[in-house]
Amino acid sequence: MKDYPSTIIRSGIMLLLALISSTLVAQNYYGTWKGSATQPGANISNWTVAMKLSKQGSTVDFPSLGCGGALAYTGKEGNAFIFREALSYGVTKCMPGMSVRFSLTSPTTMNWEEIDAGGTALAYGTLTRDPLPDVHIVVTRSQKYAGCTQGEVTVNGKSFSKTLELRFDNAKKDSSSIPVGNYRAKLRYSSGKSRWVIELQNIYPHVYEKVGKSWRMKTVSREQVQIHAGDYPIKTGVNLQGCVLVGNSYTGCGFTDSKTTFNSLLDEYFGGASQPDASVKVTVSVLIDY
C-alpha cells in the first residue's frame, strides 16, 4: 500500500457515509488504537498506525507516512470488522482503495490488517488501545421509602441512570446501605454470580451506636459492597445486602431493566460489556440530597 503515489477523488457523500457507518462497530472496540504494521516486500516495510473508533466517527492515520482519513464500515468476516479507507490527506503517499480488517485478541489488543479489494492482506500488525479514562461514579440518594432508597447516578459528570439501595441503618452489614463518603472501587468478575460488578474497596465507616443514655462512635467494616445489575424487588438482607443497583425502569423497590443498564455502563466507560477492561481506575462518591 505504501509504495505507490496516487491521488484519490473523494466526495462529501463518501465522508458522510464514513461517519454514519462507523457506528456499526461494536462498542468494546471504541477508543484509540496504536501500533505498527509490517508490509513484506515493500520499499517501506514498517510504518506506524493510529486508529480511532467511536460512535461519532472513525479514522485511521499513518503518522510515519503522512497520510490518513476517515473509515467507512463495509462488513464483517466472522469476528473481524472491515472498514474502507477514505483518505483525506497525504493521498499521494498511500495507495487508494484499501481497507482495514481487525478483531480483538483481548480487551486492549487487536489483530490488524490492511487488505486490498480482493481481501488479501498486504500488511499486518498488532494494535494496542490507549488506556481508558478514569471513571468517577456519583450516587445521589433522593427518595426514601419503607423498603428502599431511590436515587440517581452520574458518571464522569454525565447523568447516567437511576439507583436502588437499602435504607440506611447505621451501616449494619447486610441490612443497611453504606454511609455517605468517597470510596475507591474496581471492576471485577464475580465467578460465583457469573457477572461483572464494580466493587468498593476499604469501607471502614464511622457510625454511632447508643450505649445507655449516650452515644459512642465505632468503626465498622463492610466487604463486597458493589454496584451491579439486578432485575428484582430488593429485600433487606436477602438479595441486596448493602449494594447499589442501577436501572431506569422502577417497579416500586425493583428494576426491570437493570441488566441492560449495567451493560450500557460497561459499554460506554469500560470498553465493552463482553470484555470490559478491569484496569480502569474507579472512584465512587455517595451523596444525599433529601
Side-chain angles (χ1 to χ4, degrees):
M1 167 197 176
K2 308 306 173 189
D3 298 320
Y4 314 103
S6 178
T7 59
I8 184 170
I9 299 175
R10 294 160 306 280
S11 68
I13 295 176
M14 185 171 185
L15 292 176
L16 178 62
L17 176 63
L19 294 175
I20 295 174
S21 60
S22 65
T23 61
L24 298 175
V25 69
Q27 287 185 321
N28 55 326
Y29 283 76
Y30 288 175
T32 299
W33 301 81
K34 296 177 182 177
S36 61
T38 300
Q39 184 178 359
N43 292 337
I44 304 175
S45 58
N46 292 93
W47 25 272
T48 55
V49 181
M51 186 170 67
K52 295 182 180 180
L53 304 173
S54 73
K55 184 176 182 179
Q56 291 73 33
S58 298
T59 60
V60 65
D61 296 280
F62 306 104
S64 59
L65 298 165
C67 61
L71 290 174
Y73 175 84
T74 58
K76 290 188 68 179
E77 289 183 4
N79 294 326
F81 288 88
I82 301 175
F83 280 68
R84 184 176 177 82
E85 297 174 7
L87 299 178
S88 58
Y89 72 93
V91 296
T92 62
K93 302 176 181 180
C94 298
M95 186 176 178
M98 302 296 288
S99 297
V100 296
R101 178 170 59 201
F102 51 86
S103 59
L104 292 183
T105 54
S106 79
T108 58
T109 58
M110 67 164 61
N111 284 331
W112 186 92
E113 297 175 308
E114 189 170 54
I115 60 177
D116 62 18
T120 300
L122 303 184
Y124 53 86
T126 298
L127 303 189
T128 301
R129 182 168 55 194
D130 284 352
L132 294 173
D134 295 349
V135 173
H136 182 53
I137 297 172
V138 178
V139 176
T140 304
R141 297 162 177 164
S142 56
Q143 298 289 335
K144 295 187 295 184
Y145 296 95
C148 64
T149 299
Q150 295 181 355
E152 297 182 350
V153 64
T154 60
V155 184
N156 292 353
K158 176 183 175 182
S159 178
F160 183 78
S161 74
K162 302 181 186 303
T163 62
L164 273 174
E165 300 176 82
L166 298 177
R167 290 287 299 272
F168 183 73
D169 185 14
N170 214 27
K172 294 177 183 177
K173 182 178 180 181
D174 297 343
S175 62
S176 171
S177 58
I178 61 173
V180 167
N182 298 312
Y183 304 95
R184 293 193 304 273
K186 67 177 181 179
L187 181 70
R188 76 170 183 87
Y189 186 76
S190 173
S191 56
K193 297 183 178 180
S194 300
R195 66 185 179 192
W196 288 95
V197 299
I198 298 171
E199 186 164 293
L200 280 62
Q201 307 291 299
N202 301 320
I203 304 176
Y204 302 108
H206 299 297
V207 296
Y208 290 87
E209 62 178 357
K210 193 168 186 179
V211 180
K213 295 183 178 180
S214 61
W215 291 86
R216 180 178 63 187
M217 187 177 73
K218 69 174 184 178
T219 301
V220 298
S221 175
R222 296 288 299 272
E223 298 177 351
Q224 296 186 340
V225 174
Q226 304 159 352
I227 301 173
H228 62 76
D231 290 318
Y232 44 70
I234 65 175
K235 296 181 180 179
T236 300
V238 177
N239 60 6
L240 192 58
Q241 300 176 337
C243 297
V244 181
L245 300 185
V246 294
N248 284 294
S249 299
Y250 285 125
T251 55
C253 285
F255 281 127
T256 59
D257 63 347
S258 183
K259 292 181 180 179
T260 300
T261 303
F262 191 79
N263 284 341
S264 295
L265 178 65
L266 298 183
D267 279 335
E268 188 166 351
Y269 294 99
F270 293 90
S274 59
Q275 290 183 298
D277 186 350
S279 68
V280 174
K281 294 181 180 180
V282 188
T283 55
V284 177
S285 295
V286 179
L287 311 177
I288 192 168
D289 68 357
Y290 56 74

